[in-house]
Amino acid sequence: MNNDKQIINVATLSLFCNTNEARLQKPVRGFILEFPGLGGGSCMGGGMDFAEYGHGYAEILAGEGILVAYTFPGPWSWMNRGAVRYCELVADAIREKYQLPAETPWIVTGGSMGGMGALIYAAEAKIKPTACVSVCPCVDVPACFEAHECFRRTLFRAVADYEGEIADNLLKISPKHRIHDMPRIPYLLINDCADELFPEWHMDTYVDELRALGHSVEYDRLQDCGHGVITPEAWEHILGFFRKHLGLTE
């Protein structure tokens, strides 16, 4: 056992993520990692306070044997290399705790910073997820850094420990600039078209670029929806996508 796994392991897993374990009604047959938005909360329902994840889609999927884990890599982490390391250890501990074979399906997801995190984690993770669901993500990090003063301190902090110039290091956590590193997995991307933080055309362009490279992308554009809004129809699509790629439906 390496030193990292002496810290994040089966015995300590509950210190590093909230899960729907108490609501499970069947043996675990797949899992979802949800990543936090900026500040620690999530438009998808997760939160960083120690608590059961027993509501929303986490409660629904618990009835179908899907473990949902809301991870705690940091409220300003922007899926930097420390966040990737943290979340890989959480995923390893989940596999060990529930004795999941290597072929067990699993999905990464999140909204806003968490949506961007799901994309970057998919690019960085040693074990690639089965699929990715990203809601209203920041896909062009340098543009966001320049456009919104409120993001500068958090993005700076996310890559402050990297070697080299901050401007260069922002590219390492920017989905648009990592597009050639994205794995060949199915993606579901949700765009809030009245998003006050991330222009809708950023996502339109990103989706076009992914598809041009041959990626499988399902894309929902939520008209008149502000940042973080998920409509009932979008939730239905998300749940259907989860079920399909976790092997719950044909």
Side-chain angles (χ1 to χ4, degrees):
M1 179 182 291
N2 63 37
N3 289 334
D4 288 344
K5 291 190 176 183
Q6 290 176 0
I7 298 172
I8 302 180
N9 53 49
V10 170
T12 64
L13 183 61
S14 64
L15 300 178
F16 296 90
C17 64
N18 289 333
T19 76
N20 63 346
E21 180 182 55
R23 303 295 180 101
L24 290 170
Q25 297 178 26
K26 296 179 180 179
V28 174
R29 55 188 298 182
F31 67 96
I32 296 171
L33 293 188
E34 182 182 337
F35 305 127
L38 192 64
S42 171
C43 59
M44 297 188 73
M48 292 208 314
D49 292 338
F50 287 119
E52 174 193 358
Y53 198 169
H55 59 276
Y57 82 96
E59 180 176 20
I60 293 169
L61 292 180
E64 302 177 51
I66 301 302
L67 184 85
V68 178
Y70 189 75
T71 60
F72 305 151
W76 288 10
S77 54
W78 290 100
M79 201 48 68
N80 60 11
R81 61 190 179 192
V84 172
R85 182 178 184 178
Y86 181 116
C87 295
E88 286 190 320
L89 288 164
V90 168
D92 287 346
I94 288 171
R95 293 187 187 94
E96 183 178 354
K97 180 173 183 176
Y98 298 98
Q99 299 183 332
L100 301 178
E103 64 271 17
T104 299
W106 66 292
I107 293 176
V108 290
T109 192
S112 192
M113 184 183 82
M116 169 268 208
L119 293 166
I120 293 298
Y121 188 83
E124 290 280 357
K126 295 174 184 176
I127 300 176
K128 299 303 182 186
T130 305
C132 174
V133 176
S134 179
V135 179
C136 60
C138 170
V139 295
D140 189 337
V141 168
C144 180
F145 185 88
E146 293 298 332
H148 300 288
E149 292 182 357
C150 61
F151 287 149
R152 290 185 185 179
R153 61 181 179 176
T154 68
L155 286 166
F156 185 99
R157 182 63 197 94
V159 297
D161 297 332
Y162 289 33
E163 296 294 330
E165 296 293 328
I166 293 296
D168 294 333
N169 291 326
L170 291 175
L171 303 179
K172 299 174 182 177
I173 59 169
S174 178
K176 176 179 175 62
H177 298 88
R178 297 293 305 278
I179 198 161
H180 292 286
D181 299 321
M182 301 309 297
R184 296 287 176 176
I185 60 174
Y187 297 88
L188 170 57
L189 302 183
I190 310 290
N191 187 358
D192 287 330
C193 292
D195 197 318
E196 61 276 19
L197 298 178
F198 310 134
E200 64 175 302
W201 62 267
H202 279 191
M203 277 279 282
D204 291 341
T205 301
Y206 182 66
V207 169
D208 288 344
E209 291 172 346
L210 280 174
R211 287 174 170 167
L213 292 172
H215 289 284
S216 172
V217 183
E218 297 180 33
Y219 185 38
D220 286 355
R221 303 180 79 258
L222 308 186
Q223 298 294 338
D224 303 318
C225 288
H227 186 69
V229 172
I230 304 175
T231 64
E233 294 79 12
W235 268 120
E236 184 176 349
H237 191 180
I238 290 169
L239 281 166
F241 187 90
F242 283 154
R243 289 188 173 107
K244 177 181 178 181
H245 295 291
L246 290 168
L248 302 178
T249 60
E250 296 297 328

